[in-house]
Amino acid sequence: MKVRAEFYSRSREIVGASSLDVVLLDNATVLGLVEKLCGDYPPLRDFRNSMLFGIGVEFVDEQRVLREGEVVAIMPPVQGG
């Protein structure tokens, strides 16, 4: 199945794009997507434990099973000041 990963802030700089289409096995989870992306873009691992994930208007956890064509927003931690 294919899903789209959208990147923001530092993660966009690491990947070099605002979004990527990613092919995963059926019934893959957000965790599977993140592991694939961290394998393809190792610097993403620096943010691995503090990433937030959104689908539509909801935050989701890593165990969320993905569906064909979904768009997953991958957000690094937000810093304020």
Side-chain angles (χ1 to χ4, degrees):
M1 88 173 139
K2 187 187 299 185
V3 298
R4 175 165 288 193
E6 291 184 341
F7 303 96
Y8 299 90
S9 186
R10 180 75 178 114
S11 63
R12 182 185 333 203
E13 294 172 15
I14 290 169
V15 172
S18 61
S19 66
L20 293 174
D21 290 331
V22 182
V23 176
L24 300 168
L25 296 175
D26 288 345
N27 296 314
T29 61
V30 171
L31 177 60
L33 171 63
V34 172
E35 287 175 344
K36 176 165 180 30
L37 292 169
C38 285
D40 293 345
Y41 302 93
L44 286 177
R45 292 183 189 135
D46 293 342
F47 304 104
R48 176 69 192 85
N49 293 327
S50 56
M51 288 178 174
L52 296 173
F53 311 102
I55 297 177
V57 296
E58 296 181 7
F59 286 107
V60 297
D61 66 27
E62 294 178 339
Q63 301 311 311
R64 165 69 155 65
V65 175
L66 297 171
R67 292 186 286 266
E68 175 74 31
E70 283 191 306
V71 178
V72 181
I74 300 175
M75 298 162 275
V78 178
Q79 297 178 1

